[in-house]
Amino acid sequence: MRVVIAGGHGQIALRLTRILAEGGHQVVGLVRNPAHEADVTAAGGQIAVLDLEQAGVDEVAEVLSGADVAIFAAGAGPGSGNARKDTVDRGAAALFAEASERAGVRRHLQVSSMGVDKIDGLDPEATFTVYLKAKLAAEDDLRSRDLDWTVLRPGHLTDEPGSGLVLLANHTGNGQVSRDDVAAVLAGLCDTPAAIGRTLELIAGDTPVADALDHL
């Protein structure tokens, strides 16, 4: 497979790139900063330099041309202001999905967040609420498109070594999950037809990743 990952220098994306590359797949990490090339290539991928906050849909579609899978794993990140939560976590996600449609890339995975469906009652001005609203808007946009989409909502992310044991379901309840295990699940979702058209939550659990994917 040829896989294009938006947010290719992110912590999950680099782990995912390594898994896919070790499996013999071609991975392109879409990044803003060309200085990130060394990290992406060390993980086994190659880069395409493009700023999703500034690019047009045709530019993004050109990068996606010929891909089998598009994965949106980008985010404004901690420390960014409310405005960038919207331009990246919503706007860039919608642009990437539109470009997938234009490029004819059917399989589309989007990393979202646990809690986007529990915004009511939160302080609407709080940065975390703005982030969740942006992620929810990006989910809604993706669901409206003619793509073979899957939305993945991980729980609280940790840097603990992956256990390979997860709970992957429509609803899991709150919990945490290692970035290693999120990357492993994303790699498997690239070729899991049963996940198409579904929004899935992911936390640490007792089921091996391969089994969790097989039982969707």
Side-chain angles (χ1 to χ4, degrees):
M1 294 185 297
R2 176 180 170 87
V3 182
V4 177
I5 306 173
H9 190 252
Q11 296 182 67
I12 291 173
L14 288 173
R15 290 166 166 83
L16 175 58
T17 296
R18 185 170 292 107
I19 293 169
L20 291 171
E22 288 175 352
H25 303 295
Q26 181 183 11
V27 186
V28 178
L30 205 160
V31 300
R32 284 192 308 161
N33 187 347
H36 292 156
E37 181 173 10
D39 291 335
V40 176
T41 55
Q46 55 185 290
I47 68 163
V49 179
L50 200 62
D51 185 346
L52 289 176
E53 291 178 273
Q54 305 294 330
V57 65
D58 288 336
E59 293 175 274
V60 185
E62 185 175 347
V63 175
L64 283 162
S65 179
D68 300 291
V69 184
I71 302 175
F72 187 84
S80 60
N82 287 1
R84 293 201 68 232
K85 303 299 184 196
D86 183 69
T87 57
V88 178
D89 292 286
R90 181 203 58 78
L95 175 67
F96 195 62
E98 182 179 354
S100 288
E101 284 186 315
R102 190 163 299 190
V105 183
R106 295 289 315 172
R107 190 71 178 109
H108 195 101
L109 309 179
Q110 186 163 287
V111 181
S112 187
S113 175
M114 192 86 76
V116 298
D117 53 349
K118 299 181 177 67
I119 296 172
D120 293 346
L122 299 179
D123 178 0
E125 302 302 319
T127 297
F128 187 62
T129 308
V130 174
Y131 164 78
L132 290 177
K133 285 183 175 179
K135 286 294 189 187
L136 181 59
E139 287 187 11
D140 290 341
D141 175 85
L142 181 59
R143 292 188 191 99
S144 73
R145 297 186 181 278
D146 182 22
L147 293 167
D148 294 336
W149 57 265
T150 300
V151 172
L152 183 67
R153 296 174 174 173
H156 177 71
L157 297 170
T158 76
D159 288 324
E160 296 296 318
S163 67
L165 300 173
V166 299
L167 175 58
L168 178 67
N170 294 335
H171 301 287
T172 63
N174 293 330
Q176 64 182 27
V177 62
S178 74
R179 289 178 171 87
D180 286 348
D181 289 334
V182 175
V185 168
L186 284 169
L189 286 172
C190 289
D191 191 27
T192 302
I196 292 172
R198 295 180 64 179
T199 300
L200 300 168
E201 296 183 348
L202 173 67
I203 59 174
D206 300 315
T207 305
V209 169
D211 292 344
L213 292 165
D214 284 344
H215 290 90
L216 286 176

